[in-house]
Amino acid sequence: MEVVELEERFAVPGVLGFDKTPSGLLFARVTAPAAEATIYLQGAHLAGWQPAGQAPVLFLSPRTELAPGKAIRGGVPVIFPWFGPRKAGPRQAGPRHDGHAAPSHGFARTSEWELAFAALAGDEVHLTFTLAPNEASRAFGFDHFKLAYRMTIGLTLTLELTVANDSASGDSEGGPLLFEEAFHTYFAVADAAKAIVTGLAGTAYLDKRDEMRRQLQPDGAMSIAGTTDRVYLDTAATCVIGDVAGKRRIVVEKSGSLTTVVWNPWVEVAATLADMEPEGWREMLCVETANVGDSAVALEPGATHSMRAAISVEDAG
Ligand code: TA6
C-alpha cells in the first residue's frame, strides 16, 4: 500500500496521517488528544509514544538507520518467531536455502505489515496491523501463521499480539506452531545508572552475560550497574521502572507472557552497536514482555495465543 491509499482508507483529519521517509519507509503519525505516536509499517514498529503532559516514553536511537530491511534501534521492535539468534529445532534448523543467515530476533521486525484497522475512539487511537507468511518467513519454514497486532494509543499504551496457527490439522505440514515472541520495548529514562526496576524480586533468571547461568533476583529493587542482559523466568508480574533521575515511574502490566527480559548494553556493548551513540545506553532501558526459551509457545492448528502489555506513566515528584 502507498501513502495515497493509506490516507484514503485510514486517515482521520488532524489525528492520523501517513507519510514515507526519503529512504522509502511508510509510517503513520498519530496526534490524538491523549497521545502522539509514530509507527513504521515495516515491523509495525512503534517508534515513539508520548502521552499528553509527559516527555516521550520510548527511546529511539538518533543513529538508527531508518531504511528498508534494517531493524530499528529503539521504540518497540516486535520479536517473532525466535528471540535472539535462531535456535535449532524441527522447523528452525540451518540457514536459508539461499545461504543467508537467520536475522537476530526473527523476521517480523523487518517485514512489511499491513494496516487493517484504524479508528479514533474517545481521545485514543486504535490501530491493528497484520502479518501473514512472506518470502522471508517461508525461507525459514514459517508458512502457517497469522499475526494481528493491536495498539491502543492513549494515556495508556496497550499492545496486543495475537498469533494464529492456520495450518489444517490434517495437512502434511500441519502440527504445532512453535514460536518465541517479545515486545522488545526500549523505555526512555533520564539516566539508566540511576534507574530501578521492581516486580522481579525472588524471580529466577538466566544471565546472558554469564553463560546463561541461572540466578535468583534478590529482594528489593533491582538497579542497573553494568551491562545487563537477563531472561526472567516464569513471571507474569507487573514491573515498574523507577526513572529516578527523570522523576517518573513507568508501569508495565502484562498478560499472556511468562518471560520478562531486562537489557541495558551499558558502555561496553553500546560501543559495539553502530546504531547507538556511545552514551546512548544511559537514556534507555529495555523491560520486555516476552515468551522465550521454556516459555516458547506451541500452538495447535486452529488455535490462537495473545500476549498483551499495558504501559502507563506516573509522576514521582
Ligand atoms: O533483549 C536483549 C537482547 O536479546 C540482547 O541480548 C541484545 O543483543 C539485544 O536484545 C539487542 O538485539 P539486536 O538484535 O536488536 O541488536
Side-chain angles (χ1 to χ4, degrees), residues 71 73 83-84 104-105 109 184 186 208 229 261 263 273 288:
R73 178 74 62 202
F83 183 83
S104 165
H105 287 317
R109 69 174 175 172
H184 197 305
Y186 287 74
K208 280 204 193 173
D229 198 351
V261 178
W263 183 58
L273 302 173
E288 308 169 33

Side-chain angles (χ1 to χ4, degrees), residues 46-121:
L46 178 64
W49 166 56
Q50 183 168 16
Q54 286 290 340
V57 184
L58 301 175
F59 165 87
L60 181 66
S61 173
R63 286 203 189 164
T64 197
E65 201 182 334
L66 293 170
K70 288 274 177 194
I72 296 172
R73 178 74 62 202
V76 187
V78 175
I79 309 305
F80 174 90
W82 59 84
F83 183 83
R86 190 152 166 256
K87 293 124 199 131
R91 292 185 181 201
Q92 301 186 13
R96 273 163 59 143
H97 55 74
D98 59 3
H100 278 94
S104 165
H105 287 317
F107 49 76
R109 69 174 175 172
T110 48
S111 288
E112 192 73 8
W113 293 55
E114 293 280 327
L115 180 59
F117 175 87
L120 173 70

